[in-house]
Structure formats: C-alpha cells, structure tokens
Amino acid sequence: MNRWMAATLAGLVLSPAIATEPELQVTRAGTRTERAASPQHFSGQATVDMLHVAVAPARASVGSVRFAPGVRTAWHTHPLGQTLIVTAGVGRVQRWDGPVVEMRVGDVVHIPPQVKHWHGAAPGSAMTHLAISEALDGQSVTWMEPVAEAPASSAPAAAAAAARQASRAQGLGGAQGPEPAEMAGASDDFDASADVDDAATAAD
C-alpha cells in the first residue's frame, strides 16, 4: 500500500498537465481602456479597444476599432494579413488599385499578407469592426501615406453596380441612361472611408 501511494504522489508531482497548466484569463467588459487612434494613421476620430494582445509564442492580436462617420485609416499593409469583422454600422475597404467595397454588420473581410489597403466608416455612418492581425518578428503593421480623395468612379462597387443596373432598366424602357460618372455618384461618397502603439496598431 505504501509503495502504491508513493507512486501515485510522485505521478501527481511530476505530471506536466497538473504542474504547468495555465489559468484561464478573463477580461471583463468595461475593465479595458479604449485608446484614441493615432492621428498620423487615421483621418479623424477613432478609438481602439485591444481585446487581446498576443504574448509569444502566440502571434494573433484582436482589437475592436470604432470609426466616426467618414473616418478611415491611411494606406497600410500587414506582414501576415488581417481579418476584419464588422460589428456595427457601415464601412468601406479598398485594396490598392481595387474598387471601394462596402461592408456591413456580419461581413468578414480578409486582407492577404502585404496587400496595401485602407478601411473605415462610410460617410453617413459610424462603424466598428474587430481586427485580427498576426505579428511577424514583432511587427504587425506597416503604415504608409494617407488616402487621397478619389474621383467619382471610385464610389463603392455595390453602389456603382446598382446604378448600372438602374441604367440598363432605363435603357430597356427607352430612356437614355446616365453617364458613368453620374452612375458612380458624387465624389463625396468616398469621403468615408486598426492601432495605437505597435500592439494597438495591429488592430488596424
């Protein structure tokens, strides 16, 4: 009996699962501090709530980024890509040389590694998204120049497609459709477009 008890106690002491298993980490709502996003990288008011900051060997950090109407990021890239999940409002996202794409609540957008892009809120709506990014050699984002104002033809792809459809319907009815620039809408439509520090900037 004594020999059995000694073996059992030794197993409990030496068991890796018992000796090294970490505790769960729970951060309660309202206990985190939202931080203002850097004015160098955002066109206006935005806040970042870092929900999770990776500790090596983990690499993925998650931030909730809230944009005021019309505010957007500067152009930037992520070494291992980024995933955006819209949780409130209406937003916009665009890759370099690509169309402006509208994103709404529940939409998930994945930006591949090293793809130059921006994202932010639509002109008439605030927008909040989760931003999930991984760090490579301690770096999760590379910031670039601000987004220039775009011509009318750069209006969101969804709006442009709807305008083209309306134009075709008018054509079938014998009416002349609008010119392409008119179909795309006014350039003000683009005026909408994670975060702070290197940990927070991962959320952009």
Tab-separated table of all heavy atoms in Angstrom, residues 11 16 18 20 33 37 42 59 64 81 88-89 95 107 118 137-138 170 181 184 187 192 196-199:
chain	number	residue	atom	x	y	z
A	11	GLY	N	3.546	10.631	-9.293
A	11	GLY	CA	2.907	10.926	-10.572
A	11	GLY	C	2.216	12.268	-10.570
A	11	GLY	O	2.256	13.018	-11.547
A	16	PRO	N	3.019	16.880	-16.100
A	16	PRO	CA	3.084	18.211	-16.741
A	16	PRO	C	1.733	18.876	-16.796
A	16	PRO	O	1.617	20.087	-16.683
A	16	PRO	CB	3.622	17.904	-18.142
A	16	PRO	CG	4.248	16.547	-18.040
A	16	PRO	CD	3.501	15.811	-16.977
A	18	ILE	N	-0.691	18.822	-14.732
A	18	ILE	CA	-1.080	19.440	-13.472
A	18	ILE	C	-0.083	20.526	-13.069
A	18	ILE	O	-0.446	21.583	-12.580
A	18	ILE	CB	-1.193	18.371	-12.372
A	18	ILE	CG1	-2.338	17.407	-12.727
A	18	ILE	CG2	-1.393	18.994	-11.005
A	18	ILE	CD1	-2.482	16.255	-11.771
A	20	THR	N	1.968	22.445	-14.988
A	20	THR	CA	2.211	23.607	-15.844
A	20	THR	C	0.956	24.165	-16.499
A	20	THR	O	1.049	25.129	-17.233
A	20	THR	CB	3.202	23.228	-16.967
A	20	THR	OG1	2.611	22.208	-17.786
A	20	THR	CG2	4.507	22.708	-16.383
A	33	THR	N	-9.295	49.760	-21.223
A	33	THR	CA	-9.261	51.190	-21.534
A	33	THR	C	-9.185	51.393	-23.036
A	33	THR	O	-8.243	50.931	-23.686
A	33	THR	CB	-8.051	51.864	-20.863
A	33	THR	OG1	-8.126	51.664	-19.453
A	33	THR	CG2	-8.024	53.357	-21.170
A	37	ALA	N	-7.066	56.437	-31.463
A	37	ALA	CA	-6.184	56.016	-32.541
A	37	ALA	C	-5.264	57.170	-32.946
A	37	ALA	O	-5.619	58.344	-32.820
A	37	ALA	CB	-6.999	55.543	-33.740
A	42	PHE	N	-4.930	57.830	-38.908
A	42	PHE	CA	-6.379	57.877	-39.100
A	42	PHE	C	-6.778	59.278	-39.517
A	42	PHE	O	-6.193	60.258	-39.047
A	42	PHE	CB	-7.108	57.482	-37.811
A	42	PHE	CG	-7.012	56.013	-37.473
A	42	PHE	CD1	-5.833	55.476	-36.986
A	42	PHE	CD2	-8.097	55.171	-37.655
A	42	PHE	CE1	-5.731	54.129	-36.672
A	42	PHE	CE2	-8.012	53.829	-37.349
A	42	PHE	CZ	-6.830	53.288	-36.861
A	59	ARG	N	0.832	34.784	-31.838
A	59	ARG	CA	1.100	35.927	-32.710
A	59	ARG	C	-0.133	36.770	-32.998
A	59	ARG	O	-0.019	37.884	-33.487
A	59	ARG	CB	1.695	35.448	-34.035
A	59	ARG	CG	3.020	34.747	-33.907
A	59	ARG	CD	3.691	34.526	-35.236
A	59	ARG	NE	2.913	33.700	-36.145
A	59	ARG	CZ	3.371	33.217	-37.293
A	59	ARG	NH1	4.620	33.486	-37.673
A	59	ARG	NH2	2.609	32.471	-38.075
A	64	SER	N	-10.925	45.919	-31.158
A	64	SER	CA	-12.194	46.470	-31.635
A	64	SER	C	-11.953	47.939	-31.951
A	64	SER	O	-11.580	48.711	-31.062
A	64	SER	CB	-13.281	46.315	-30.570
A	64	SER	OG	-14.501	46.891	-31.017
A	81	GLY	N	-1.182	39.394	-43.042
A	81	GLY	CA	-2.578	39.607	-43.390
A	81	GLY	C	-3.407	40.083	-42.207
A	81	GLY	O	-2.918	40.243	-41.088
A	88	ALA	N	-20.773	46.770	-36.136
A	88	ALA	CA	-21.750	47.849	-36.066
A	88	ALA	C	-21.523	48.815	-37.216
A	88	ALA	O	-20.385	49.040	-37.640
A	88	ALA	CB	-21.652	48.600	-34.728
A	89	GLY	N	-22.616	49.390	-37.731
A	89	GLY	CA	-22.508	50.431	-38.744
A	89	GLY	C	-22.216	49.929	-40.142
A	89	GLY	O	-22.360	48.749	-40.459
A	95	ARG	N	-8.437	47.829	-51.527
A	95	ARG	CA	-7.047	47.465	-51.749
A	95	ARG	C	-6.492	48.386	-52.823
A	95	ARG	O	-7.231	48.998	-53.605
A	95	ARG	CB	-6.906	46.001	-52.175
A	95	ARG	CG	-7.589	45.653	-53.490
A	95	ARG	CD	-7.141	44.296	-53.993
A	95	ARG	NE	-5.737	44.343	-54.351
A	95	ARG	CZ	-4.955	43.270	-54.476
A	95	ARG	NH1	-5.454	42.066	-54.272
A	95	ARG	NH2	-3.683	43.391	-54.822
A	107	ASP	N	-20.344	41.106	-41.976
A	107	ASP	CA	-19.416	40.836	-43.074
A	107	ASP	C	-18.020	40.559	-42.521
A	107	ASP	O	-17.594	41.178	-41.544
A	107	ASP	CB	-19.346	42.023	-44.044
A	107	ASP	CG	-20.621	42.177	-44.865
A	107	ASP	OD1	-21.454	41.260	-44.831
A	107	ASP	OD2	-20.769	43.226	-45.526
A	118	TRP	N	-6.831	50.211	-47.199
A	118	TRP	CA	-7.350	51.058	-46.124
A	118	TRP	C	-8.747	50.576	-45.784
A	118	TRP	O	-9.379	49.858	-46.550
A	118	TRP	CB	-7.369	52.552	-46.501
A	118	TRP	CG	-8.283	52.913	-47.644
A	118	TRP	CD1	-7.944	53.058	-48.957
A	118	TRP	CD2	-9.696	53.167	-47.570
A	118	TRP	NE1	-9.044	53.382	-49.709
A	118	TRP	CE2	-10.133	53.453	-48.885
A	118	TRP	CE3	-10.639	53.176	-46.548
A	118	TRP	CZ2	-11.472	53.753	-49.181
A	118	TRP	CZ3	-11.964	53.461	-46.842
A	118	TRP	CH2	-12.363	53.757	-48.144
A	137	ASP	N	8.054	38.813	-36.508
A	137	ASP	CA	9.249	39.449	-35.931
A	137	ASP	C	8.878	40.697	-35.139
A	137	ASP	O	9.558	41.728	-35.196
A	137	ASP	CB	10.255	39.798	-37.035
A	137	ASP	CG	10.770	38.567	-37.761
A	137	ASP	OD1	10.875	37.499	-37.114
A	137	ASP	OD2	11.051	38.659	-38.969
A	138	GLY	N	7.759	40.604	-34.425
A	138	GLY	CA	7.341	41.701	-33.563
A	138	GLY	C	6.607	42.821	-34.259
A	138	GLY	O	6.187	43.786	-33.616
A	170	GLN	N	-33.431	51.613	-67.453
A	170	GLN	CA	-33.879	52.797	-68.185
A	170	GLN	C	-33.714	52.607	-69.682
A	170	GLN	O	-34.536	53.006	-70.479
A	170	GLN	CB	-33.094	54.023	-67.722
A	170	GLN	CG	-33.495	54.497	-66.329
A	170	GLN	CD	-32.696	55.709	-65.906
A	170	GLN	OE1	-31.631	55.973	-66.462
A	170	GLN	NE2	-33.196	56.443	-64.938
A	181	ALA	N	-19.924	58.639	-64.815
A	181	ALA	CA	-19.584	59.398	-63.617
A	181	ALA	C	-20.816	59.647	-62.767
A	181	ALA	O	-20.763	59.651	-61.544
A	181	ALA	CB	-18.938	60.731	-64.000
A	184	ALA	N	-21.815	56.504	-60.793
A	184	ALA	CA	-20.974	56.196	-59.639
A	184	ALA	C	-21.338	57.042	-58.436
A	184	ALA	O	-21.073	56.666	-57.313
A	184	ALA	CB	-19.503	56.413	-60.004
A	187	SER	N	-18.312	62.464	-55.646
A	187	SER	CA	-17.049	62.091	-55.019
A	187	SER	C	-17.139	62.160	-53.500
A	187	SER	O	-16.357	61.542	-52.801
A	187	SER	CB	-15.921	63.008	-55.502
A	187	SER	OG	-16.212	64.345	-55.178
A	192	ALA	N	-15.774	58.743	-46.886
A	192	ALA	CA	-15.871	57.876	-45.772
A	192	ALA	C	-14.773	56.897	-45.786
A	192	ALA	O	-14.615	56.146	-46.551
A	192	ALA	CB	-17.067	57.083	-45.962
A	196	VAL	N	-2.881	52.041	-32.215
A	196	VAL	CA	-2.131	52.971	-31.408
A	196	VAL	C	-1.043	52.141	-30.759
A	196	VAL	O	-1.304	51.074	-30.313
A	196	VAL	CB	-3.002	53.620	-30.337
A	196	VAL	CG1	-3.766	54.787	-30.882
A	196	VAL	CG2	-3.933	52.636	-29.720
A	197	ASP	N	0.184	52.612	-30.719
A	197	ASP	CA	1.324	51.817	-30.315
A	197	ASP	C	1.411	50.618	-31.249
A	197	ASP	O	0.551	50.394	-32.039
A	197	ASP	CB	1.221	51.302	-28.885
A	197	ASP	CG	1.288	52.434	-27.893
A	197	ASP	OD1	1.835	53.486	-28.205
A	197	ASP	OD2	0.791	52.236	-26.816
A	198	ASP	N	2.483	49.811	-31.115
A	198	ASP	CA	2.583	48.694	-32.048
A	198	ASP	C	1.575	47.625	-31.716
A	198	ASP	O	1.059	46.973	-32.580
A	198	ASP	CB	3.996	48.127	-32.044
A	198	ASP	CG	4.284	47.428	-33.323
A	198	ASP	OD1	3.761	47.860	-34.334
A	198	ASP	OD2	5.037	46.476	-33.314
A	199	ALA	N	1.237	47.428	-30.449
A	199	ALA	CA	0.239	46.418	-30.114
A	199	ALA	C	-1.128	46.864	-30.614
A	199	ALA	O	-1.860	46.103	-31.214
A	199	ALA	CB	0.198	46.205	-28.610
